[in-house]
Amino acid sequence: MDNSKMVEFLPRLNGFIPITGEDGGNYTEIWLKGPEKIQISKKSKTVLAHLVRLYAKDLVLVRQQSKRILGYSKDLPLLITHHLVLIPVKVREATYKDEGTLGYVVLQSVDKVRPLERGKAKLSFQDGSELLVLNRVQKIRQKMNEALDLIRVEMDLQKLFYQANLNQAREDFNF
């Protein structure tokens, strides 16, 4: 999928998950508001990297920022912008090496999280679509709260940055 198509559906993005294609390949299903689903022949990891690059960011640095703020390094929520925060969700068990199990949902698109049997949960999106995940409700809510923490830290940093720049501009121009 080229960047122009990805840019086109960004405002409608609910998330993306790994799936197995009819040919047995490791593909990604992109969930859009509507509900609409698009299947592409790229791994979810690749889709994530392309999405992050659309915002002129580096995935390694985005992960490092989350790791630094949250204090752990596995299955991190990822703050792309304060309007686009991705929550990791486990959507399937791996049956072979390098088969992706982790998808991402957009925090701002999630409406409800409900428990199901045997430690599973169902995510309801604002458009009414639902996604079965293999995470417990508590884990999903933890990731959502951590994502909100990432947004708070980002907003605080921006406030400090702009205040420092404003103060410097006042000094430079004798305001």
mmCIF file of all heavy atoms in Angstrom, residues 25-70:
data_model
loop_
_atom_site.group_PDB
_atom_site.id
_atom_site.type_symbol
_atom_site.label_atom_id
_atom_site.label_comp_id
_atom_site.label_asym_id
_atom_site.label_seq_id
_atom_site.Cartn_x
_atom_site.Cartn_y
_atom_site.Cartn_z
ATOM 1 N N GLY A 25 -0.129 -16.590 3.660
ATOM 2 C CA GLY A 25 0.802 -15.497 3.954
ATOM 3 C C GLY A 25 0.387 -14.685 5.163
ATOM 4 O O GLY A 25 -0.764 -14.700 5.595
ATOM 5 N N ASN A 26 1.342 -13.984 5.709
ATOM 6 C CA ASN A 26 1.130 -13.144 6.880
ATOM 7 C C ASN A 26 0.717 -11.749 6.413
ATOM 8 O O ASN A 26 1.551 -10.957 6.002
ATOM 9 C CB ASN A 26 2.434 -13.094 7.685
ATOM 10 C CG ASN A 26 2.215 -12.770 9.138
ATOM 11 O OD1 ASN A 26 1.092 -12.588 9.589
ATOM 12 N ND2 ASN A 26 3.299 -12.684 9.883
ATOM 13 N N TYR A 27 -0.570 -11.430 6.454
ATOM 14 C CA TYR A 27 -1.122 -10.188 5.941
ATOM 15 C C TYR A 27 -1.631 -9.324 7.087
ATOM 16 O O TYR A 27 -1.607 -9.713 8.246
ATOM 17 C CB TYR A 27 -2.280 -10.461 4.982
ATOM 18 C CG TYR A 27 -1.886 -11.158 3.693
ATOM 19 C CD1 TYR A 27 -2.861 -11.664 2.848
ATOM 20 C CD2 TYR A 27 -0.559 -11.320 3.312
ATOM 21 C CE1 TYR A 27 -2.529 -12.304 1.659
ATOM 22 C CE2 TYR A 27 -0.219 -11.951 2.129
ATOM 23 C CZ TYR A 27 -1.204 -12.445 1.310
ATOM 24 O OH TYR A 27 -0.869 -13.061 0.137
ATOM 25 N N THR A 28 -2.115 -8.160 6.723
ATOM 26 C CA THR A 28 -2.687 -7.231 7.697
ATOM 27 C C THR A 28 -4.084 -6.836 7.251
ATOM 28 O O THR A 28 -4.323 -6.589 6.075
ATOM 29 C CB THR A 28 -1.813 -5.967 7.821
ATOM 30 O OG1 THR A 28 -0.513 -6.349 8.249
ATOM 31 C CG2 THR A 28 -2.395 -4.977 8.818
ATOM 32 N N GLU A 29 -4.982 -6.787 8.220
ATOM 33 C CA GLU A 29 -6.331 -6.298 7.958
ATOM 34 C C GLU A 29 -6.450 -4.939 8.644
ATOM 35 O O GLU A 29 -6.259 -4.833 9.857
ATOM 36 C CB GLU A 29 -7.363 -7.272 8.505
ATOM 37 C CG GLU A 29 -8.777 -6.956 8.098
ATOM 38 C CD GLU A 29 -9.725 -8.076 8.485
ATOM 39 O OE1 GLU A 29 -9.966 -8.230 9.698
ATOM 40 O OE2 GLU A 29 -10.198 -8.780 7.573
ATOM 41 N N ILE A 30 -6.734 -3.927 7.850
ATOM 42 C CA ILE A 30 -6.878 -2.575 8.368
ATOM 43 C C ILE A 30 -8.362 -2.334 8.626
ATOM 44 O O ILE A 30 -9.186 -2.512 7.736
ATOM 45 C CB ILE A 30 -6.303 -1.549 7.383
ATOM 46 C CG1 ILE A 30 -4.803 -1.812 7.206
ATOM 47 C CG2 ILE A 30 -6.560 -0.125 7.872
ATOM 48 C CD1 ILE A 30 -4.141 -0.971 6.156
ATOM 49 N N TRP A 31 -8.669 -1.955 9.856
ATOM 50 C CA TRP A 31 -10.048 -1.686 10.258
ATOM 51 C C TRP A 31 -10.294 -0.186 10.192
ATOM 52 O O TRP A 31 -9.618 0.594 10.862
ATOM 53 C CB TRP A 31 -10.284 -2.193 11.673
ATOM 54 C CG TRP A 31 -10.386 -3.677 11.792
ATOM 55 C CD1 TRP A 31 -9.586 -4.610 11.195
ATOM 56 C CD2 TRP A 31 -11.333 -4.408 12.555
ATOM 57 N NE1 TRP A 31 -9.981 -5.868 11.549
ATOM 58 C CE2 TRP A 31 -11.050 -5.774 12.388
ATOM 59 C CE3 TRP A 31 -12.383 -4.035 13.369
ATOM 60 C CZ2 TRP A 31 -11.788 -6.771 13.005
ATOM 61 C CZ3 TRP A 31 -13.117 -5.029 14.002
ATOM 62 C CH2 TRP A 31 -12.822 -6.383 13.805
ATOM 63 N N LEU A 32 -11.282 0.190 9.392
ATOM 64 C CA LEU A 32 -11.656 1.590 9.249
ATOM 65 C C LEU A 32 -13.043 1.820 9.825
ATOM 66 O O LEU A 32 -13.847 0.886 9.925
ATOM 67 C CB LEU A 32 -11.636 1.992 7.770
ATOM 68 C CG LEU A 32 -10.317 1.799 7.034
ATOM 69 C CD1 LEU A 32 -10.481 2.103 5.559
ATOM 70 C CD2 LEU A 32 -9.221 2.648 7.649
ATOM 71 N N LYS A 33 -13.325 3.050 10.164
ATOM 72 C CA LYS A 33 -14.670 3.394 10.635
ATOM 73 C C LYS A 33 -15.644 3.136 9.497
ATOM 74 O O LYS A 33 -15.334 3.344 8.346
ATOM 75 C CB LYS A 33 -14.722 4.860 11.064
ATOM 76 C CG LYS A 33 -13.906 5.147 12.306
ATOM 77 C CD LYS A 33 -13.851 6.634 12.590
ATOM 78 C CE LYS A 33 -13.109 6.962 13.863
ATOM 79 N NZ LYS A 33 -11.703 6.623 13.873
ATOM 80 N N GLY A 34 -16.786 2.672 9.866
ATOM 81 C CA GLY A 34 -17.764 2.454 8.805
ATOM 82 C C GLY A 34 -18.694 1.292 9.035
ATOM 83 O O GLY A 34 -19.866 1.438 8.870
ATOM 84 N N PRO A 35 -18.344 0.143 9.401
ATOM 85 C CA PRO A 35 -17.008 -0.451 9.465
ATOM 86 C C PRO A 35 -16.579 -0.974 8.099
ATOM 87 O O PRO A 35 -17.368 -1.565 7.374
ATOM 88 C CB PRO A 35 -17.166 -1.596 10.445
ATOM 89 C CG PRO A 35 -18.597 -2.002 10.333
ATOM 90 C CD PRO A 35 -19.361 -0.773 9.919
ATOM 91 N N GLU A 36 -15.358 -0.722 7.760
ATOM 92 C CA GLU A 36 -14.782 -1.183 6.507
ATOM 93 C C GLU A 36 -13.444 -1.840 6.835
ATOM 94 O O GLU A 36 -12.725 -1.380 7.724
ATOM 95 C CB GLU A 36 -14.561 0.015 5.586
ATOM 96 C CG GLU A 36 -13.972 -0.313 4.245
ATOM 97 C CD GLU A 36 -13.685 0.934 3.411
ATOM 98 O OE1 GLU A 36 -14.149 2.030 3.771
ATOM 99 O OE2 GLU A 36 -12.974 0.793 2.411
ATOM 100 N N LYS A 37 -13.125 -2.912 6.129
ATOM 101 C CA LYS A 37 -11.861 -3.608 6.354
ATOM 102 C C LYS A 37 -11.133 -3.746 5.033
ATOM 103 O O LYS A 37 -11.728 -4.068 4.016
ATOM 104 C CB LYS A 37 -12.112 -4.988 6.961
ATOM 105 C CG LYS A 37 -12.745 -4.918 8.329
ATOM 106 C CD LYS A 37 -13.076 -6.279 8.861
ATOM 107 C CE LYS A 37 -13.846 -6.127 10.169
ATOM 108 N NZ LYS A 37 -14.464 -7.369 10.576
ATOM 109 N N ILE A 38 -9.833 -3.484 5.086
ATOM 110 C CA ILE A 38 -8.985 -3.598 3.900
ATOM 111 C C ILE A 38 -7.881 -4.596 4.217
ATOM 112 O O ILE A 38 -7.197 -4.464 5.237
ATOM 113 C CB ILE A 38 -8.358 -2.237 3.537
ATOM 114 C CG1 ILE A 38 -9.440 -1.214 3.233
ATOM 115 C CG2 ILE A 38 -7.398 -2.393 2.363
ATOM 116 C CD1 ILE A 38 -8.910 0.196 3.098
ATOM 117 N N GLN A 39 -7.704 -5.571 3.360
ATOM 118 C CA GLN A 39 -6.643 -6.556 3.536
ATOM 119 C C GLN A 39 -5.468 -6.187 2.638
ATOM 120 O O GLN A 39 -5.650 -5.921 1.456
ATOM 121 C CB GLN A 39 -7.152 -7.947 3.179
ATOM 122 C CG GLN A 39 -6.142 -9.038 3.400
ATOM 123 C CD GLN A 39 -6.720 -10.415 3.117
ATOM 124 O OE1 GLN A 39 -7.877 -10.669 3.407
ATOM 125 N NE2 GLN A 39 -5.912 -11.280 2.550
ATOM 126 N N ILE A 40 -4.268 -6.140 3.239
ATOM 127 C CA ILE A 40 -3.076 -5.857 2.445
ATOM 128 C C ILE A 40 -2.032 -6.941 2.697
ATOM 129 O O ILE A 40 -2.001 -7.560 3.763
ATOM 130 C CB ILE A 40 -2.497 -4.450 2.729
ATOM 131 C CG1 ILE A 40 -2.124 -4.288 4.196
ATOM 132 C CG2 ILE A 40 -3.460 -3.379 2.315
ATOM 133 C CD1 ILE A 40 -1.389 -3.001 4.484
ATOM 134 N N SER A 41 -1.188 -7.160 1.718
ATOM 135 C CA SER A 41 -0.227 -8.259 1.792
ATOM 136 C C SER A 41 1.095 -7.818 2.416
ATOM 137 O O SER A 41 2.170 -8.095 1.899
ATOM 138 C CB SER A 41 0.013 -8.841 0.396
ATOM 139 O OG SER A 41 0.506 -7.831 -0.452
ATOM 140 N N LYS A 42 0.997 -7.138 3.526
ATOM 141 C CA LYS A 42 2.167 -6.724 4.299
ATOM 142 C C LYS A 42 1.956 -7.148 5.748
ATOM 143 O O LYS A 42 0.832 -7.199 6.236
ATOM 144 C CB LYS A 42 2.339 -5.209 4.254
ATOM 145 C CG LYS A 42 2.484 -4.624 2.877
ATOM 146 C CD LYS A 42 3.819 -3.965 2.736
ATOM 147 C CE LYS A 42 3.970 -3.296 1.398
ATOM 148 N NZ LYS A 42 4.706 -4.063 0.446
ATOM 149 N N LYS A 43 3.053 -7.432 6.438
ATOM 150 C CA LYS A 43 2.976 -7.765 7.857
ATOM 151 C C LYS A 43 2.554 -6.525 8.652
ATOM 152 O O LYS A 43 2.827 -5.391 8.250
ATOM 153 C CB LYS A 43 4.331 -8.248 8.369
ATOM 154 C CG LYS A 43 4.751 -9.590 7.829
ATOM 155 C CD LYS A 43 6.080 -10.002 8.435
ATOM 156 C CE LYS A 43 6.484 -11.375 7.955
ATOM 157 N NZ LYS A 43 7.720 -11.834 8.593
ATOM 158 N N SER A 44 1.939 -6.765 9.793
ATOM 159 C CA SER A 44 1.500 -5.658 10.654
ATOM 160 C C SER A 44 2.681 -4.795 11.093
ATOM 161 O O SER A 44 2.545 -3.577 11.228
ATOM 162 C CB SER A 44 0.758 -6.191 11.875
ATOM 163 O OG SER A 44 -0.457 -6.771 11.469
ATOM 164 N N LYS A 45 3.831 -5.424 11.318
ATOM 165 C CA LYS A 45 5.041 -4.672 11.679
ATOM 166 C C LYS A 45 5.391 -3.650 10.602
ATOM 167 O O LYS A 45 5.771 -2.518 10.897
ATOM 168 C CB LYS A 45 6.224 -5.646 11.787
ATOM 169 C CG LYS A 45 6.634 -6.027 13.147
ATOM 170 C CD LYS A 45 7.878 -6.907 13.020
ATOM 171 C CE LYS A 45 8.355 -7.358 14.363
ATOM 172 N NZ LYS A 45 9.472 -8.284 14.275
ATOM 173 N N THR A 46 5.271 -4.047 9.351
ATOM 174 C CA THR A 46 5.572 -3.165 8.223
ATOM 175 C C THR A 46 4.558 -2.037 8.141
ATOM 176 O O THR A 46 4.920 -0.875 7.920
ATOM 177 C CB THR A 46 5.597 -3.968 6.907
ATOM 178 O OG1 THR A 46 6.520 -5.044 7.046
ATOM 179 C CG2 THR A 46 5.973 -3.103 5.728
ATOM 180 N N VAL A 47 3.287 -2.363 8.330
ATOM 181 C CA VAL A 47 2.233 -1.345 8.313
ATOM 182 C C VAL A 47 2.482 -0.329 9.429
ATOM 183 O O VAL A 47 2.367 0.883 9.208
ATOM 184 C CB VAL A 47 0.834 -1.991 8.444
ATOM 185 C CG1 VAL A 47 -0.248 -0.939 8.627
ATOM 186 C CG2 VAL A 47 0.541 -2.864 7.236
ATOM 187 N N LEU A 48 2.861 -0.808 10.600
ATOM 188 C CA LEU A 48 3.157 0.084 11.722
ATOM 189 C C LEU A 48 4.310 1.028 11.365
ATOM 190 O O LEU A 48 4.219 2.239 11.589
ATOM 191 C CB LEU A 48 3.499 -0.734 12.966
ATOM 192 C CG LEU A 48 3.942 0.058 14.199
ATOM 193 C CD1 LEU A 48 2.841 1.001 14.664
ATOM 194 C CD2 LEU A 48 4.339 -0.909 15.316
ATOM 195 N N ALA A 49 5.369 0.485 10.810
ATOM 196 C CA ALA A 49 6.524 1.310 10.443
ATOM 197 C C ALA A 49 6.137 2.368 9.405
ATOM 198 O O ALA A 49 6.545 3.535 9.513
ATOM 199 C CB ALA A 49 7.651 0.433 9.917
ATOM 200 N N HIS A 50 5.322 1.995 8.416
ATOM 201 C CA HIS A 50 4.870 2.959 7.397
ATOM 202 C C HIS A 50 4.001 4.049 8.024
ATOM 203 O O HIS A 50 4.133 5.225 7.682
ATOM 204 C CB HIS A 50 4.086 2.258 6.286
ATOM 205 C CG HIS A 50 4.939 1.524 5.312
ATOM 206 N ND1 HIS A 50 5.713 2.149 4.370
ATOM 207 C CD2 HIS A 50 5.156 0.196 5.148
ATOM 208 C CE1 HIS A 50 6.372 1.251 3.655
ATOM 209 N NE2 HIS A 50 6.045 0.051 4.117
ATOM 210 N N LEU A 51 3.131 3.646 8.922
ATOM 211 C CA LEU A 51 2.248 4.605 9.583
ATOM 212 C C LEU A 51 3.055 5.636 10.373
ATOM 213 O O LEU A 51 2.800 6.840 10.281
ATOM 214 C CB LEU A 51 1.272 3.862 10.507
ATOM 215 C CG LEU A 51 0.290 4.696 11.301
ATOM 216 C CD1 LEU A 51 -0.634 5.459 10.382
ATOM 217 C CD2 LEU A 51 -0.510 3.797 12.230
ATOM 218 N N VAL A 52 4.024 5.172 11.118
ATOM 219 C CA VAL A 52 4.858 6.072 11.913
ATOM 220 C C VAL A 52 5.649 7.022 11.008
ATOM 221 O O VAL A 52 5.753 8.216 11.287
ATOM 222 C CB VAL A 52 5.799 5.260 12.843
ATOM 223 C CG1 VAL A 52 6.822 6.154 13.512
ATOM 224 C CG2 VAL A 52 4.979 4.507 13.889
ATOM 225 N N ARG A 53 6.162 6.499 9.905
ATOM 226 C CA ARG A 53 6.933 7.328 8.965
ATOM 227 C C ARG A 53 6.076 8.413 8.312
ATOM 228 O O ARG A 53 6.588 9.475 7.952
ATOM 229 C CB ARG A 53 7.584 6.459 7.891
ATOM 230 C CG ARG A 53 8.942 5.950 8.307
ATOM 231 C CD ARG A 53 9.761 5.474 7.134
ATOM 232 N NE ARG A 53 9.091 4.451 6.346
ATOM 233 C CZ ARG A 53 9.264 3.144 6.505
ATOM 234 N NH1 ARG A 53 10.110 2.692 7.399
ATOM 235 N NH2 ARG A 53 8.611 2.284 5.759
ATOM 236 N N LEU A 54 4.774 8.155 8.164
ATOM 237 C CA LEU A 54 3.885 9.193 7.610
ATOM 238 C C LEU A 54 3.914 10.469 8.450
ATOM 239 O O LEU A 54 3.680 11.560 7.956
ATOM 240 C CB LEU A 54 2.447 8.693 7.532
ATOM 241 C CG LEU A 54 2.100 7.768 6.392
ATOM 242 C CD1 LEU A 54 0.669 7.284 6.514
ATOM 243 C CD2 LEU A 54 2.307 8.445 5.057
ATOM 244 N N TYR A 55 4.196 10.300 9.731
ATOM 245 C CA TYR A 55 4.266 11.437 10.642
ATOM 246 C C TYR A 55 5.706 11.906 10.848
ATOM 247 O O TYR A 55 5.992 12.623 11.809
ATOM 248 C CB TYR A 55 3.625 11.072 11.984
ATOM 249 C CG TYR A 55 2.123 10.991 11.881
ATOM 250 C CD1 TYR A 55 1.494 9.787 11.585
ATOM 251 C CD2 TYR A 55 1.338 12.122 12.063
ATOM 252 C CE1 TYR A 55 0.112 9.717 11.475
ATOM 253 C CE2 TYR A 55 -0.041 12.059 11.959
ATOM 254 C CZ TYR A 55 -0.638 10.852 11.660
ATOM 255 O OH TYR A 55 -2.001 10.789 11.539
ATOM 256 N N ALA A 56 6.602 11.481 9.955
ATOM 257 C CA ALA A 56 8.018 11.867 9.996
ATOM 258 C C ALA A 56 8.659 11.479 11.325
ATOM 259 O O ALA A 56 9.452 12.222 11.901
ATOM 260 C CB ALA A 56 8.191 13.353 9.719
ATOM 261 N N LYS A 57 8.302 10.303 11.815
ATOM 262 C CA LYS A 57 8.867 9.797 13.060
ATOM 263 C C LYS A 57 9.537 8.457 12.787
ATOM 264 O O LYS A 57 9.279 7.807 11.790
ATOM 265 C CB LYS A 57 7.783 9.650 14.128
ATOM 266 C CG LYS A 57 7.221 10.980 14.581
ATOM 267 C CD LYS A 57 6.421 10.832 15.826
ATOM 268 C CE LYS A 57 6.011 12.193 16.351
ATOM 269 N NZ LYS A 57 5.383 12.093 17.651
ATOM 270 N N ASP A 58 10.370 8.060 13.715
ATOM 271 C CA ASP A 58 11.081 6.797 13.631
ATOM 272 C C ASP A 58 10.488 5.845 14.676
ATOM 273 O O ASP A 58 10.370 6.214 15.845
ATOM 274 C CB ASP A 58 12.567 7.038 13.898
ATOM 275 C CG ASP A 58 13.370 5.767 13.839
ATOM 276 O OD1 ASP A 58 13.727 5.346 12.722
ATOM 277 O OD2 ASP A 58 13.623 5.185 14.917
ATOM 278 N N LEU A 59 10.120 4.644 14.253
ATOM 279 C CA LEU A 59 9.473 3.683 15.153
ATOM 280 C C LEU A 59 10.343 3.348 16.359
ATOM 281 O O LEU A 59 9.852 3.233 17.477
ATOM 282 C CB LEU A 59 9.092 2.413 14.386
ATOM 283 C CG LEU A 59 8.350 1.344 15.164
ATOM 284 C CD1 LEU A 59 7.088 1.888 15.816
ATOM 285 C CD2 LEU A 59 8.011 0.169 14.253
ATOM 286 N N VAL A 60 11.639 3.207 16.148
ATOM 287 C CA VAL A 60 12.554 2.906 17.262
ATOM 288 C C VAL A 60 12.499 4.020 18.305
ATOM 289 O O VAL A 60 12.422 3.757 19.510
ATOM 290 C CB VAL A 60 14.001 2.693 16.749
ATOM 291 C CG1 VAL A 60 14.985 2.582 17.900
ATOM 292 C CG2 VAL A 60 14.068 1.457 15.859
ATOM 293 N N LEU A 61 12.495 5.262 17.862
ATOM 294 C CA LEU A 61 12.448 6.394 18.791
ATOM 295 C C LEU A 61 11.093 6.505 19.489
ATOM 296 O O LEU A 61 11.029 6.849 20.675
ATOM 297 C CB LEU A 61 12.783 7.692 18.061
ATOM 298 C CG LEU A 61 14.204 7.780 17.504
ATOM 299 C CD1 LEU A 61 14.394 9.081 16.732
ATOM 300 C CD2 LEU A 61 15.235 7.634 18.598
ATOM 301 N N VAL A 62 10.022 6.211 18.769
ATOM 302 C CA VAL A 62 8.686 6.235 19.385
ATOM 303 C C VAL A 62 8.618 5.179 20.493
ATOM 304 O O VAL A 62 8.120 5.443 21.590
ATOM 305 C CB VAL A 62 7.587 6.007 18.320
ATOM 306 C CG1 VAL A 62 6.229 5.775 18.971
ATOM 307 C CG2 VAL A 62 7.520 7.188 17.357
ATOM 308 N N ARG A 63 9.150 3.994 20.205
ATOM 309 C CA ARG A 63 9.174 2.931 21.229
ATOM 310 C C ARG A 63 10.055 3.323 22.416
ATOM 311 O O ARG A 63 9.697 3.076 23.563
ATOM 312 C CB ARG A 63 9.656 1.626 20.611
ATOM 313 C CG ARG A 63 8.600 0.920 19.818
ATOM 314 C CD ARG A 63 9.013 -0.522 19.523
ATOM 315 N NE ARG A 63 7.900 -1.228 18.947
ATOM 316 C CZ ARG A 63 7.912 -1.821 17.765
ATOM 317 N NH1 ARG A 63 9.003 -1.798 17.016
ATOM 318 N NH2 ARG A 63 6.847 -2.443 17.321
ATOM 319 N N GLN A 64 11.203 3.926 22.140
ATOM 320 C CA GLN A 64 12.095 4.356 23.222
ATOM 321 C C GLN A 64 11.419 5.382 24.116
ATOM 322 O O GLN A 64 11.569 5.350 25.339
ATOM 323 C CB GLN A 64 13.396 4.927 22.658
ATOM 324 C CG GLN A 64 14.355 3.880 22.164
ATOM 325 C CD GLN A 64 15.617 4.481 21.556
ATOM 326 O OE1 GLN A 64 15.735 5.697 21.382
ATOM 327 N NE2 GLN A 64 16.550 3.616 21.195
ATOM 328 N N GLN A 65 10.672 6.294 23.511
ATOM 329 C CA GLN A 65 9.960 7.305 24.297
ATOM 330 C C GLN A 65 8.942 6.631 25.224
ATOM 331 O O GLN A 65 8.867 6.957 26.404
ATOM 332 C CB GLN A 65 9.259 8.300 23.381
ATOM 333 C CG GLN A 65 8.463 9.343 24.139
ATOM 334 C CD GLN A 65 7.613 10.215 23.234
ATOM 335 O OE1 GLN A 65 7.214 9.802 22.149
ATOM 336 N NE2 GLN A 65 7.342 11.425 23.672
ATOM 337 N N SER A 66 8.172 5.690 24.686
ATOM 338 C CA SER A 66 7.195 4.974 25.511
ATOM 339 C C SER A 66 7.890 4.195 26.615
ATOM 340 O O SER A 66 7.444 4.190 27.765
ATOM 341 C CB SER A 66 6.358 4.029 24.652
ATOM 342 O OG SER A 66 5.537 4.748 23.780
ATOM 343 N N LYS A 67 8.980 3.542 26.268
ATOM 344 C CA LYS A 67 9.743 2.745 27.254
ATOM 345 C C LYS A 67 10.263 3.633 28.381
ATOM 346 O O LYS A 67 10.166 3.284 29.552
ATOM 347 C CB LYS A 67 10.904 2.046 26.541
ATOM 348 C CG LYS A 67 11.775 1.221 27.444
ATOM 349 C CD LYS A 67 12.917 0.582 26.668
ATOM 350 C CE LYS A 67 13.847 -0.157 27.591
ATOM 351 N NZ LYS A 67 14.989 -0.736 26.881
ATOM 352 N N ARG A 68 10.800 4.799 28.020
ATOM 353 C CA ARG A 68 11.340 5.714 29.020
ATOM 354 C C ARG A 68 10.240 6.208 29.972
ATOM 355 O O ARG A 68 10.417 6.262 31.184
ATOM 356 C CB ARG A 68 11.997 6.901 28.319
ATOM 357 C CG ARG A 68 12.656 7.900 29.256
ATOM 358 C CD ARG A 68 13.313 9.055 28.519
ATOM 359 N NE ARG A 68 12.511 9.640 27.463
ATOM 360 C CZ ARG A 68 11.519 10.514 27.666
ATOM 361 N NH1 ARG A 68 11.197 10.882 28.874
ATOM 362 N NH2 ARG A 68 10.851 11.008 26.645
ATOM 363 N N ILE A 69 9.090 6.515 29.428
ATOM 364 C CA ILE A 69 7.997 7.059 30.242
ATOM 365 C C ILE A 69 7.325 5.978 31.081
ATOM 366 O O ILE A 69 7.031 6.177 32.258
ATOM 367 C CB ILE A 69 6.959 7.770 29.340
ATOM 368 C CG1 ILE A 69 7.587 9.020 28.720
ATOM 369 C CG2 ILE A 69 5.699 8.133 30.126
ATOM 370 C CD1 ILE A 69 6.775 9.641 27.604
ATOM 371 N N LEU A 70 7.098 4.802 30.471
ATOM 372 C CA LEU A 70 6.324 3.759 31.146
ATOM 373 C C LEU A 70 7.177 2.791 31.960
ATOM 374 O O LEU A 70 6.662 2.100 32.836
ATOM 375 C CB LEU A 70 5.493 2.993 30.116
ATOM 376 C CG LEU A 70 4.482 3.856 29.355
ATOM 377 C CD1 LEU A 70 3.807 3.035 28.263
ATOM 378 C CD2 LEU A 70 3.456 4.459 30.297
#
